[in-house]
Amino acid sequence: MQALARPEVNIITVEDPVEYALPGVAQIQVNEKAGVTFAAALRSILRQDPDIVMIGEMRDFETAHIGVQASLTGHLVLSTLHTNDSIGAIIRLTDMGIEPYLAANCMIGTVAQRLARRLCPHCRREIEPPAMMAKQGLTRAFEPVGCEHCHNTGYKGRVGLYEQFVVDEAIQEAFVTGAPASKLREIARGNGFKTLWEIGLSAVESGLTSPEELVRVAGED
């Protein structure tokens, strides 16, 4: 949001709660007791001619419907959805009642995020990759040890794992015709799509995190 905020760009958000004050951004706090819901606030702010709208979360059909309509009329709409992976976002919209052709045409792309503990670079120790991961191409791995730099935890800080799903024309056509998530994933792989697990394996091989931490945050593939 800070990267998008410029004096000539009108950005309005609806959040529950407003956690960070963003300079140059008009932020609205949800207050359901006062009738300020995501949907009600979204209807109001669209009358203010925003360039970019950020919806804290799409929880119901009404919010999703207004957000989709806003995106189809030229607004850049950013939002969060509760799904297991990036591909699940487009399916989640249809589960909430959005027509598949609308969900496909309004979406540019989605990102699924996991935060894994970062191995302490001062004490991490190289080990043999777990057999299951070695079969998937992992050639090296590291484990936490613990030292004065990481308070004997073996970890220091966090590393983000980001799965990016770009909705191109091929994805749109497949989704509208009823293709399942597995088919969408197959098509996306042709454009370089990698799952959270695959991205996590690269982080493990680079010594950024441990095999155990990858399993904890991403599950076994």
Side-chain angles (χ1 to χ4, degrees), residues 137-212:
L138 188 67
T139 58
R140 62 194 304 225
F142 299 80
E143 67 177 1
V145 177
C147 67
E148 61 181 8
H149 296 281
C150 59
H151 304 288
N152 291 314
T153 63
Y155 296 96
K156 188 174 183 180
R158 296 287 188 274
V159 58
L161 308 178
Y162 304 100
E163 177 186 283
Q164 302 178 60
F165 175 59
V166 177
V167 182
D168 58 14
E169 188 173 336
I171 293 291
Q172 291 175 347
E173 292 177 357
F175 186 70
V176 170
T177 57
S182 58
K183 180 63 176 177
L184 299 181
R185 185 177 293 107
E186 179 184 330
I187 297 172
R189 282 191 181 280
N191 293 326
F193 173 81
K194 292 184 178 181
T195 65
L196 274 169
W197 180 262
E198 292 166 339
I199 294 166
L201 285 177
S202 297
V204 170
E205 192 162 55
S206 301
L208 295 177
T209 192
S210 65
E212 294 79 8

Side-chain angles (χ1 to χ4, degrees), residues 44-63:
S44 297
I45 65 178
L46 289 178
R47 302 190 187 103
Q48 312 304 315
D49 191 29
D51 299 301
I52 301 173
V53 177
M54 195 278 278
I55 308 169
E57 182 184 346
M58 287 188 177
R59 298 175 178 173
D60 51 49
F61 168 76
E62 188 176 9
T63 305

Side-chain angles (χ1 to χ4, degrees), residues 50-119:
D51 299 301
I52 301 173
V53 177
M54 195 278 278
I55 308 169
E57 182 184 346
M58 287 188 177
R59 298 175 178 173
D60 51 49
F61 168 76
E62 188 176 9
T63 305
H65 178 70
I66 298 172
V68 167
Q69 291 300 320
S71 70
L72 293 174
T73 53
H75 303 85
L76 176 60
V77 179
L78 309 174
S79 186
T80 62
L81 288 164
H82 285 292
T83 62
N84 291 326
D85 54 23
S86 59
I87 294 177
I90 192 170
I91 298 172
R92 174 65 178 144
L93 284 178
T94 60
D95 289 342
M96 286 193 290
I98 303 300
E99 291 292 336
Y101 74 94
L102 291 177
N105 287 322
C106 79
M107 190 172 288
I108 298 173
T110 61
V111 177
Q113 170 188 286
R114 298 287 188 278
L115 291 178
R117 290 181 295 174
R118 184 188 294 270
L119 281 170

